Amino acid sequence: MAELTGLTLSEARQKLRNKDIKAQELTDAFLKEIEAANPDLNAFVAVTAEKAMAQAKEADARLQKGEARDLEGLPIGHKDLYCTEGVTTTACSNILSNFVPGYESTVGANLWGQGAVMLGKLNNDEFAMGSSNESSSHGPVVSPWRRNGKDGTPSDDKLVPGGSSGGSSAAVAADLCLAATATDTGGSIRQPAALTGTVGIKPTYGRCSRWGIVAYASSLDQAGPVARTVEDAAILLGVMAGHDDKDSTSVDMPVPDYSAALGKGVKGLKVGVPEEYRVEGLSDEVDQLWQQGIAWLKDAGAEIKTISLPHTKYALPAYYIVAPAEASSNLARYDGVRYGVRVPGNDIIDTYEKTRQAGFGDEVKRRIMIGTYVLSAGYYDAYYLKAQKVRTLIKQDFDNAWDDVDVVLTPTTPNPAFAFGEKTGDPLEMYLEDIFTVTVNMAGLPGISVPAGLSSQGTPLGLQLIGKPFDETTLFQAGEVLEKAAGPVRVASKWWHGT
Amino acid sequence: MTVDDDTVRRIAHLARIKIEDSDVAGLRSELSGILDWVEQLNEVDTDGVEPMTRVAAHKLKKRKDVVTDGEMADVVVKNAPFSEDNYYVVPKVIE
């Protein structure tokens, strides 16, 4: 069993096509792993075993007939932010606890249309607002990783798997699925990937359709995969991406064959290293790893250049105006009338207010209120318009950099994974988790996080590569070089099995 | 920017979120903290800078203005907490 669930997506695909294994056998192995691990990890909020086995059965029939589609019979986890037809979709919020969509998200439909098997829905921060998965209405996700304790035994401290896609990152790292879908508004794919030793890519804004994904901040939200390897991420993004008439911001451009670009290396590639990312609060070991990443790319034939992205430090405060503003408007739809939970009041306004008081968690309320404030009469210019101007400058920084370099290398997070409760006391401290990832969303660029090594505590660290618009191909090529140089970063002990 | 208790109540009402008296002090300090922190944007000279309205230069696609979907009122209201004959039911609204 363990050997089946430990396969990469690409290996599993090969074995299925060679008829060495069956999709039903593979799916069953993952369902058993989930059953054993989920009471401890809480990565899945719903397991759709029956649906998974039915999909696997169809996959086996197609594989038998030699009619396999791209992802035929490959079991994956699906973030609960994606609407799934006939399957409860909560966005990990109480307000949507009973919501059963009558439609499938476009990205989900793309995956199932290519034969992928859905194991279940994955935990996330409520409405994808958070960096630790602690704000979920289904409770937090426990990282499969543990810190080194005293006397060489692992510490019992529960670590966060990052967020908002914490269920995705934990499930992939713990071998509960071959890969997972995720979404990224300010770092929600890349930060959890970094903290769990997995690969996560947020593609260029417009690369994937947002249709049927519960909206947080529409000018920043993008779908992407979390996977065990760069190759697996490339295979998945190729299926997830593409134009969709139902999302006018999805771009009508052909999707390149990302897998075909792998193995080409970085010879002659110009890699930018931005001075401004050497921020206060950057841990020494993350800095060292960054230098190591620079050396790896240089050894592989890349040319390293120091660059300047002068508005970097303003990306996070600008984000915390733009994202809450869009969230306050997007989440206005949860009024207890059309869907979700209603708490009856004396009149319609009272009903709205009571419904939203009971339905939303603290962080969601905070962001809605910040958004409401910055958009309110008299403050719009001072906050929202100012932030959108700063956003233009952040994008210009990158536009200037692309004159000199092909890709930018940074750490993904300033620190390794933290423990439960360490950052929940002060919202600002949690927001700082996204300091290196949020610039990428503000500029609409693609970014990938690749596992690059372990911290002194024995927990994973990631490096981020940022690319030109729609140049995900280069991110996969360079990411693969980092991945090979760093070697495998895998969970040492499946302690939830009692070992 | 520091917000006072009345502002907290006003924002909550605008956002249609009921808050208890015991919530006000905590929210005041959290919202003030965040708004103080974003003040650093005032250091940036944005004179003559266009606000960003889209990250990619792509033109939005247009389609013919025709009905392409519909006739599924039952699916649409299926998730409504209260519905009757494919209508949403809400408390009486008197202007």
Side-chain angles (χ1 to χ4, degrees):
Chain A
M1 232 44 115
E3 59 197 44
L4 281 186
T5 57
L7 295 171
T8 67
L9 181 118
S10 143
E11 289 165 349
R13 180 161 77 166
Q14 203 52 53
K15 282 191 188 295
L16 285 167
R17 288 182 181 174
N18 292 348
K19 302 193 174 68
D20 294 339
I21 55 171
K22 286 199 150 160
Q24 290 169 88
E25 180 191 359
L26 184 64
T27 301
D28 187 56
F30 278 113
L31 291 170
K32 289 206 166 80
E33 275 296 307
I34 295 167
E35 203 179 307
N38 214 47
D40 285 308
L41 304 184
N42 199 30
F44 279 84
V45 298
V47 180
T48 49
E50 220 168 285
K51 189 182 168 95
M53 289 313 290
Q55 285 175 321
K57 195 174 172 192
E58 193 201 333
D60 278 332
R62 283 188 181 249
L63 283 156
Q64 197 57 41
K65 283 188 278 183
E67 291 169 4
R69 297 163 291 182
D70 251 11
L71 303 175
E72 200 69 64
L74 299 171
I76 61 172
H78 203 29
K79 187 176 183 179
D80 203 27
L81 211 66
Y82 289 76
C83 288
T84 39
E85 188 175 0
V87 176
T88 307
T89 299
T90 70
C92 297
S93 177
N94 283 323
I95 212 160
L96 282 178
S97 57
N98 58 2
F99 178 57
V100 182
Y103 50 87
E104 190 78 29
S105 73
T106 298
V107 166
N110 290 347
L111 290 165
W112 322 136
Q114 286 299 324
V117 170
M118 182 173 93
L119 292 166
K121 304 297 291 286
L122 290 164
N123 209 336
N124 50 256
D125 278 296
E126 183 179 3
F127 284 110
M129 298 181 192
S131 307
S132 69
N133 216 117
E134 287 168 290
S135 76
S136 166
S137 64
H138 298 276
V141 175
V142 179
S143 173
W145 288 86
R146 296 198 292 183
R147 287 174 181 155
N148 298 330
K150 288 178 187 138
D151 324 321
T153 55
S155 150
D156 286 337
D157 291 347
K158 287 180 176 172
L159 299 182
V160 304
S164 67
S165 310
S168 308
S169 67
V172 173
D175 293 347
L176 308 188
C177 50
L178 288 171
T181 61
T183 60
D184 190 316
T185 304
S188 282
I189 290 176
R190 293 156 289 154
Q191 184 256 13
L195 299 193
T196 56
T198 53
V199 176
I201 181 164
K202 181 205 89 77
T204 313
Y205 184 82
R207 187 68 284 184
C208 293
S209 168
R210 291 177 295 107
W211 194 82
I213 298 174
V214 176
Y216 160 20
S218 303
S219 78
L220 301 160
D221 297 343
Q222 261 298 290
V226 171
R228 301 221 180 102
T229 66
V230 172
E231 184 189 8
D232 289 358
I235 292 170
L236 279 168
L237 184 62
V239 175
M240 294 167 78
H243 175 66
D244 174 15
D245 281 337
K246 297 206 266 301
D247 175 7
S248 63
T249 65
S250 74
V251 172
D252 196 358
M253 270 169 52
V255 180
D257 184 347
Y258 298 124
S259 315
L262 292 171
K264 293 205 172 148
V266 291
K267 211 169 208 55
L269 191 76
K270 294 191 195 106
V271 178
V273 178
E275 285 175 320
E276 290 81 4
Y277 278 61
R278 185 154 286 103
V279 295
E280 207 181 316
L282 177 68
S283 73
D284 285 345
E285 55 186 357
V286 171
D287 193 12
Q288 277 167 23
L289 191 80
W290 190 14
Q291 302 313 311
Q292 177 67 69
I294 293 168
W296 284 332
L297 291 177
K298 206 171 169 180
D299 290 348
E303 188 187 330
I304 309 296
K305 288 187 165 191
T306 302
I307 58 163
S308 175
L309 301 168
H311 296 91
T312 297
K313 72 174 275 206
Y314 300 109
L316 203 57
Y319 173 86
Y320 274 98
I321 291 173
V322 174
E326 293 182 14
S328 75
S329 152
N330 270 328
L331 272 62
R333 74 190 69 180
Y334 304 108
D335 55 6
V337 174
R338 288 159 295 170
Y339 31 65
V341 173
R342 178 191 294 187
V343 178
N346 302 327
D347 52 33
I348 187 83
I349 302 283
D350 195 39
T351 301
Y352 293 154
E353 293 192 346
K354 281 186 170 149
T355 293
R356 290 159 66 82
Q357 176 187 35
F360 292 139
D362 289 344
E363 183 57 28
V364 172
K365 285 179 187 163
R366 205 148 41 223
R367 293 197 196 188
I368 291 175
M369 287 179 68
I370 287 285
T372 303
Y373 183 76
V374 300
L375 291 176
S376 65
Y379 294 104
Y380 180 89
D381 286 5
Y383 289 105
Y384 190 71
L385 202 65
K386 180 80 183 180
Q388 289 289 57
K389 288 179 178 177
V390 171
R391 203 173 163 188
T392 299
L393 295 172
I394 293 163
K395 184 173 182 295
Q396 277 174 9
D397 284 354
F398 280 104
D399 288 344
N400 295 335
W402 302 136
D403 291 340
D404 296 322
V405 299
D406 304 308
V407 72
V408 171
L409 178 72
T410 76
T412 311
T413 62
N415 292 293
F418 46 98
F420 279 25
E422 253 174 49
K423 294 187 191 227
T424 42
D426 177 6
L428 285 175
E429 209 179 319
M430 189 71 85
Y431 297 172
L432 289 170
E433 266 300 295
D434 292 332
I435 189 161
F436 296 145
T437 48
V438 80
T439 49
V440 175
N441 303 76
M442 293 301 270
L445 300 171
I448 191 170
S449 178
V450 179
L454 297 181
S455 70
S456 57
Q457 301 169 327
T459 55
L461 294 169
L463 288 173
Q464 173 179 239
L465 289 158
I466 305 169
K468 295 176 184 173
F470 301 102
D471 191 15
E472 284 81 4
T473 301
T474 301
L475 296 187
F476 289 127
Q477 283 171 6
E480 206 188 22
V481 169
L482 291 175
E483 178 182 52
K484 285 216 172 98
V489 177
R490 299 298 299 269
V491 171
S493 140
K494 293 188 175 169
W495 47 268
W496 51 93
H497 285 309
T499 50
Chain B
M1 172 63 88
T2 312
V3 294
D4 56 21
D5 288 1
D6 285 346
T7 309
V8 169
R9 289 196 175 88
R10 187 174 59 86
I11 303 170
H13 181 63
L14 281 174
R16 299 289 183 264
I17 297 172
K18 184 175 160 62
I19 54 172
E20 306 298 334
D21 287 343
S22 56
D23 298 332
V24 174
L27 281 166
R28 187 190 60 216
S29 105
E30 283 166 4
L31 299 183
S32 297
I34 295 166
L35 291 168
D36 259 350
W37 173 69
V38 302
E39 290 283 307
Q40 57 180 299
L41 293 184
N42 292 332
E43 296 164 15
V44 187
D45 180 3
T46 52
D47 282 354
V49 177
E50 284 293 312
M52 183 186 277
T53 49
R54 62 176 71 176
V55 289
H58 295 277
K59 269 200 165 159
L60 286 183
K61 279 181 87 168
K62 289 178 185 165
R63 65 162 176 84
K64 287 218 162 69
D65 186 15
V66 291
V67 177
T68 58
D69 212 343
E71 302 299 327
M72 51 171 89
D74 52 334
V75 179
V76 173
V77 301
K78 196 179 62 140
N79 276 287
F82 297 96
S83 70
E84 223 176 277
D85 303 330
N86 287 342
Y87 284 92
Y88 296 115
V89 178
V90 295
K92 193 187 259 182
V93 181
I94 305 167
E95 289 295 331

